[in-house]
Each structure stands twice: as structure tokens, then as C-alpha cells.
């Protein structure tokens, strides 16, 4: 896979999966644009990646704010001359609360980041990609896009929604040279999974190690996945090697969805 001189935008670029995927793209020659709402994490990610200023752009932006989204797309074009890949990856796990005890605003917040953020990223990137006659988008979904999970209604609903958005965007662009796919990770060892572990044992932080073991035991491969194992599939979906793949979502979950 070769991404020489391609401009690759990664939202949630300062998070666990985003950062490692940025490194994988950069290792294959891409120029990377890291978008995140956390400016400190963006600065430390930029330092860790060690790319020269000619190969990296960091943009502090909230993916739920349309002006921010338009800005990171415009800044990408201005700096690198194109937008070749969008990894629409920013996400938020939300709280663990049964539906009957949930409130509108909490539900809305998760939907805004995980669904509206993906929608806005696609909306603005697709205009550029359609003009170019080329491009690839990979949306981060989750096995939560295909199964239910008691207590996680906004996250589950949001990821199911992104499966539908991915298929629809793919059909709208199938004959334009632009492909849109999804990647569906599960149990990947990042900050988000750490938050989920804490949410599963809110009253007993000493129990976290047991929670980790329980989750790992539920994965057919009996372990957590690594961000790089997601990155490898993202790169494939974004590459010319996947030239006949669109509207698909690929699990990266140690066999979880197969159960
Ligand atoms: N870790 C897992 O097990 C797992 C499993 C399935 C799906 N996912 C999905 O993978 C994606 C990345 O998650 P991760 O595990 O790397 O988590 P993470 O918490 O390490 O990273 C998420 C990043 O998104 C950023 N972000 C959140 N809201 C944002 C917003 N409104 N605007 C801009 N940036 C925002 C955060 O600042 C953070 O840097 C998410 O979409 C998540 O739902 C993760």
C-alpha cells in the first residue's frame, strides 16, 4: 500500500486508534492532518509522530461544529492541495445508564459526536473528493453497530446509525471514484476502553483488573486488540487495493461478531 503525497485527515487523531493510524499512514508516505478537540493531546501526538511541518497539520476542532469541520477540510486543501482520505474516527462512549433512567441531553451528546460528527465530516469531504474524482472515507463504527448492549443505548444507537450512513454515502458516490467504508473494532486497548472498564465497575475501582479479564474472556481470541490492528484494516480500505470495496464494514474484533 502506497500513500505517497496523499493527504489523510484523521478525526480523533490524538486518541488511541487515531494516533497509531496516523503513524501507519505516515509510514506509507502520507501527509497527515490530525483533528481533535483536545489541543494538548494533539501537540503531544504531533511530537510523538516526529514528522516535519511539511508533512503534518494539527487542527483543534469539534466534529459536531459544522464551521470547525468546514475549516479543517479547507485547511487540508490549502496546505496539501487535496483531501484523499478521511478517517472519520472521533467518538465518545457515553454513560452506562438504562434507557428508563437516561435523559435527552446525555443521549443527544453521544449522537452528536458519533453520528452528526461523521455526517458532517462526510458532507464536507465528499464535496472535495467528488471534484477531485477520487477519495476514500473510512468511518469508525464498532461491533456496537451490529449488536445491543444493556446500558449503552446512545452508543449502540449511534454506531448502528453510522452503518446506515456508510452504506448510503457509498451508494450516493459509487460511480464517482469515491469509496466509503466502515471499520468495526471491538475491545481495542485505548483510553476509551479504560473508560468503559471504569463504567462497568463504578463503585469499586479495585475491581478494574477483574473487569479487564472478564472482557478479554468474552473475546473469542481471549485478548484485547491493539490500535495498530485496526490501523492495518483502515489502510487497506483507504488504499487502491480495495478498489472494488464500498459500503462495507469490516470487523476488527478478535471474532466477537462471529459469535
Ligand atoms: N477502543 C475500543 O475498544 C473501540 C471499540 C469500538 C469502536 N471504537 C471507536 O474507535 C474510535 C476511536 O476510539 P479510541 O478507542 O481511539 O478512543 P480514544 O478515547 O482514545 O480517542 C477518541 C478521540 O476522539 C476525540 N474526540 C472525542 N469527541 C470529539 C469531538 N467532538 N471532536 C473532536 N474530537 C473528539 C477525543 O479527544 C479523543 O482523542 C471511536 O469512534 C470509538 O467509538 C473504539
Amino acid at each position: 500500500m502506497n500513500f505517497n503525497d496523499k493527504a489523510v485527515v484523521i478525526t480523533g487523531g490524538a486518541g488511541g486508534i487515531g494516533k497509531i493510524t496516523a503513524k501507519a499512514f505516515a509510514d506509507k508516505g502520507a501527509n497527515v492532518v490530525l483533528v481533535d478537540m483536545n489541543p494538548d493531546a494533539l501537540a503531544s501526538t504531533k511530537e510523538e509522530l516526529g514528522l516535519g511541518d511539511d508533512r503534518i497539520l494539527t487542527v483543534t476542532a469539534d466534529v459536531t461544529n459544522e464551521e470547525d469541520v468546514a475549516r479543517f477540510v479547507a485547511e487540508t486543501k490549502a496546505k496539501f492541495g487535496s483531501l484523499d482520505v478521511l478517517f472519520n474516527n472521533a467518538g465518545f462512549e457515553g454513560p452506562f445508564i438504562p434507557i428508563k433512567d437516561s435523559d435527552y441531553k446525555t443521549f443527544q451528546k453521544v449522537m452528536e459526536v458519533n453520528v452528526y460528527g461523521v455526517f458532517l465530516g462526510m458532507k464536507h469531504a465528499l464535496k472535495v473528493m467528488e471534484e477531485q474524482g477520487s477519495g476514500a472515507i473510512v468511518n469508525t463504527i464498532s461491533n456496537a453497530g451490529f449488536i445491543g448492549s444493556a446500558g449503552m443505548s446512545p452508543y449502540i444507537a449511534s454506531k448502528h446509525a453510522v452503518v446506515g450512513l456508510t452504506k448510503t454515502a457509498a451508494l450516493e458516490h459509487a460511480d464517482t471514484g469515491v469509496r466509503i467504508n466502515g471499520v468495526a473494532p471491538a475491545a481495542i486497548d485505548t483510553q476509551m476502553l479504560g473508560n468503559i472498564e471504569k463504567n462497568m465497575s463504578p463503585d469499586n475501582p479495585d475491581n478494574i483488573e477483574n473487569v479487564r479479564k472478564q472482557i478479554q474472556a468474552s473475546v473469542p481470541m481471549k485478548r484485547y486488540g491493539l490500535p495498530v490492528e485496526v490501523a492495518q484494516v483502515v489502510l487497506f480500505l483507504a488504499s487502491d487495493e480495495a478498489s472494488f470495496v464500498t459500503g462495507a464494514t469490516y470487523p476488527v474484533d478478535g471474532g466477537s461478531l462471529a459469535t
Side-chain angles (χ1 to χ4, degrees):
M1 289 181 282
N2 179 346
F3 290 95
N4 276 344
D5 299 324
K6 301 281 188 198
V8 176
V9 176
I10 300 177
T11 70
I17 292 173
K19 175 172 64 180
I20 296 300
T21 307
K23 183 177 180 323
F25 272 116
D27 287 348
K28 297 284 183 195
N31 298 316
V32 293
V33 180
L34 303 183
V35 175
D36 206 287
M37 66 178 186
N38 181 337
D40 295 338
L42 269 180
S44 61
T45 302
K46 182 179 176 191
E47 202 176 313
E48 254 181 77
L49 292 180
L51 297 169
D53 279 339
D54 56 330
R55 294 202 45 212
I56 186 165
L57 174 69
T58 57
V59 186
T60 303
D62 180 343
V63 297
T64 69
N65 177 321
E66 187 156 9
E67 282 174 17
D68 281 12
V69 175
R71 179 166 53 84
F72 74 66
V73 168
E75 287 186 24
T76 301
K77 264 212 88 176
K79 179 155 175 136
F80 296 118
S82 63
L83 197 178
D84 301 296
V85 175
L86 170 65
F87 181 31
N88 232 342
N89 167 69
F92 167 50
E93 71 282 3
F96 270 51
I97 310 176
I99 292 170
K100 68 178 173 51
D101 302 324
S102 296
D103 62 81
Y104 187 98
K105 280 214 172 317
T106 311
F107 195 90
Q108 184 181 27
K109 175 74 193 154
V110 181
M111 294 299 275
E112 279 179 353
V113 177
N114 294 358
V115 184
Y116 287 55
V118 168
F119 158 73
L120 289 174
M122 289 205 291
K123 173 183 165 180
H124 286 270
L126 281 168
K127 285 183 187 160
V128 175
M129 290 176 174
E130 199 170 86
E131 259 175 46
Q132 292 171 173
S134 66
I137 295 178
V138 181
N139 295 324
T140 303
I141 305 176
S142 166
N143 67 342
F146 299 92
I147 58 169
S149 182
M152 288 191 79
S153 62
Y155 190 73
I156 295 286
S158 70
K159 295 295 185 178
H160 274 70
V162 181
V163 174
L165 272 177
T166 302
K167 289 177 183 170
T168 303
L171 293 176
E172 288 176 359
H173 292 273
D175 59 355
T176 67
V178 180
R179 296 178 302 100
I180 300 102
N181 290 292
V183 66
I188 307 299
D189 206 358
T190 67
Q191 178 63 49
M192 180 180 287
L193 192 56
N195 297 342
I196 290 172
E197 288 166 353
K198 282 184 204 143
N199 282 338
M200 286 173 72
S201 186
D203 305 323
N204 184 3
D206 296 338
N207 192 35
I208 297 294
E209 200 44 48
N210 282 337
V211 172
R212 278 179 83 82
K213 283 186 187 145
Q214 263 174 37
I215 302 176
Q216 290 182 10
S218 72
V219 177
M221 285 191 179
K222 304 293 176 211
R223 65 171 177 89
Y224 282 164
L226 300 172
V228 69
E229 294 177 298
V230 181
Q232 282 154 354
V233 176
V234 175
L235 262 68
F236 167 69
L237 291 172
S239 74
D240 291 343
E241 273 73 5
S243 51
F244 201 50
V245 182
T246 198
T249 296
Y250 276 67
V252 184
D253 65 358
S256 298
L257 269 183
T259 59

